[in-house]
Amino acid sequence: MQQLWQRLETILKDSHPSLLADLAPPATDSEIADLENQIGAKLPDDFIACLKIHNGQHGKADGLFDGSEFLSISRILQEWSTLKSVLDSGIFDELGIDEDASNNGIKSSMWNLKWIPFISYGNGDIWCLDLDPAEDGEFGQVFQYWYEDCETTKEANNFTEWFTNFIDQLK
């Protein structure tokens, strides 16, 4: 993970120094443990390694990932808690969905408490880590979640693959 961040930081230094300056310092073990405790799940090791390098963005510049905010632990909890509140309210129950279906390894659901947002577009659409994949999925796979439609699109089998692909596209 360190090498991936070094590659990205080198690119940002030349092309977007304000984004480089907006990256937050590393998350502490205590902050990571608190996040895992609050969401009731263990995060993938590669994402923990990422947080131990940069705990998201401060939010004073544009979003790091194609204009979307790289969430800090506090922002992850904020986004996750908001969707948990919607789930707890029963609104999703009224919409109905085939919970037994799978979408490319992602359980069909309006929202799942084991979907952990790590990037936000700012309009309810987010990128998530899947900590409760369907039988044909992988723990820690990365997908986009489109809030208005409650639809998902799988992007990578794990965070490292997704992060590598993102950096490779910047070349």
Side-chain angles (χ1 to χ4, degrees):
M1 189 57 57
Q2 186 68 43
Q3 290 175 337
L4 288 172
W5 270 110
Q6 287 173 344
R7 284 180 56 203
L8 180 55
E9 289 172 8
T10 298
I11 293 167
L12 293 176
K13 181 179 177 187
D14 294 331
S15 62
H16 297 292
S18 63
L19 285 176
L20 180 60
D22 196 47
L23 291 172
T28 65
D29 289 337
S30 175
E31 290 171 320
I32 293 167
D34 184 54
L35 171 60
E36 290 178 327
N37 184 51
Q38 290 194 49
I39 64 173
K42 172 85 172 95
L43 294 167
D45 291 339
D46 57 354
F47 188 67
I48 290 172
C50 174
L51 290 172
K52 287 186 173 188
I53 297 169
H54 290 293
N55 182 10
Q57 292 182 251
H58 293 293
K60 297 176 183 170
D62 290 338
L64 176 63
F65 296 111
D66 295 328
S68 299
E69 180 186 0
F70 174 38
L71 301 177
S72 64
I73 286 176
S74 63
R75 289 281 295 120
I76 289 170
L77 283 170
Q78 183 180 39
E79 292 281 337
W80 181 85
S81 295
T82 297
L83 286 159
K84 181 183 183 310
S85 294
V86 173
L87 180 67
D88 291 347
S89 75
I91 290 173
F92 288 140
D93 295 338
E94 297 170 14
L95 300 175
I97 192 165
D98 180 4
E99 297 285 345
D100 295 326
S102 172
N103 175 19
N104 200 16
I106 303 166
K107 288 182 177 177
S108 291
S109 182
M110 296 295 187
W111 181 251
N112 184 320
L113 293 176
K114 303 295 185 202
W115 293 349
I116 311 306
F118 69 95
I119 294 174
S120 173
Y121 290 98
N123 63 353
D125 297 337
I126 51 181
W127 291 76
C128 295
L129 299 168
D130 188 354
L131 308 186
D132 184 27
E135 206 169 288
D136 56 335
E138 295 187 39
F139 176 82
Q141 62 195 358
V142 174
F143 66 90
Q144 289 186 52
Y145 176 79
W146 308 103
Y147 180 74
E148 276 196 29
D149 302 323
C150 298
E151 291 183 10
T152 59
T153 305
K154 184 175 175 182
E155 297 294 333
N157 292 319
N158 56 59
F159 182 78
T160 300
E161 178 184 311
W162 176 84
F163 196 42
T164 300
N165 291 341
F166 174 79
I167 295 169
D168 287 348
Q169 292 175 4
L170 295 177
K171 291 182 180 179

